[in-house]
């Protein structure tokens, strides 16, 4: 069985190894959730990957994230990781809902130990505080 399947939900998610997300047009259109749902149904019958990494931070994640995580769980993925911005997971109830949907791992960027530098690198004021809160949850 192969290791990881990376699924870009939208063009706003963090790219591995990068500090800033490219503009949505750099990645093309958002993922059509039906494609992933179909893939998960086939994966359930013949698993090929141990982990799926759902990457997103925009409206498509907001609309389809829970459905995609639940489909991945039903589809036989042993591990489901969400790579997103920390501000989505600053409330313990948000974290609980993500876990209930099937997410087993969360990845958010922490780009500096200095809050001002981190926020500047992310181009999002308050992101360092949100990352600390997310990690505390």
């Amino acid at each position: 069985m192969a290791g990881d399947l990376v699924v870009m939900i939208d063009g706003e998610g963090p790219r591995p190894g990068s500090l800033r997300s490219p503009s949505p047009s750099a990645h093309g259109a958002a993922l059509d959730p039906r494609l992933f749902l179909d893939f998960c149904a086939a994966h359930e019958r013949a698993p090929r990957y141990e982990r799926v990494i759902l990457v997103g931070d925009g409206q498509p994640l907001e609309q389809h994230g829970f459905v995609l995580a639940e489909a991945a769980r039903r589809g036989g993925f042993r591990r489901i990781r969400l790579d997103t911005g920390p501000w989505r997971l600053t409330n313990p109830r948000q974290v609980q809902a993500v876990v209930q949907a099937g997410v087993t791992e969360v990845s958010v960027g922490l780009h500096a130990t200095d809050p001002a530098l981190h926020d500047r690198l992310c181009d999002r004021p308050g992101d360092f505080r949100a990352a600390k809160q997310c990690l505390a949850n």
Side-chain angles (χ1 to χ4, degrees), residues 69-92:
E70 290 167 352
R73 182 176 34 115
R74 285 190 313 274
F77 289 94
R78 292 184 191 148
R79 296 165 50 205
I80 302 166
R81 183 170 110 187
L82 175 62
D83 284 10
T84 192
W87 58 274
R88 293 190 172 281
L89 302 169
T90 56
N91 183 311

Side-chain angles (χ1 to χ4, degrees), residues 35-51:
L35 296 175
F36 186 68
L37 297 178
D38 291 345
F39 180 87
C40 287
H43 190 268
E44 182 179 18
R45 293 185 297 277
R48 295 174 38 205
Y49 298 94
E50 179 179 333
R51 176 171 71 171

Side-chain angles (χ1 to χ4, degrees), residues 3-78:
D4 296 340
L5 172 68
V6 177
V7 177
M8 296 299 296
I9 297 172
D10 57 51
E12 297 178 41
R15 300 288 287 179
S18 70
L19 295 176
R20 296 177 195 228
S21 301
S23 67
S25 61
H27 298 307
L31 170 75
D32 179 345
R34 294 172 296 184
L35 296 175
F36 186 68
L37 297 178
D38 291 345
F39 180 87
C40 287
H43 190 268
E44 182 179 18
R45 293 185 297 277
R48 295 174 38 205
Y49 298 94
E50 179 179 333
R51 176 171 71 171
V52 62
I53 302 172
L54 303 172
V55 181
D57 200 27
Q59 189 62 32
L61 173 65
E62 196 72 32
Q63 291 176 316
H64 308 295
F66 290 111
V67 171
L68 298 176
E70 290 167 352
R73 182 176 34 115
R74 285 190 313 274
F77 289 94
R78 292 184 191 148

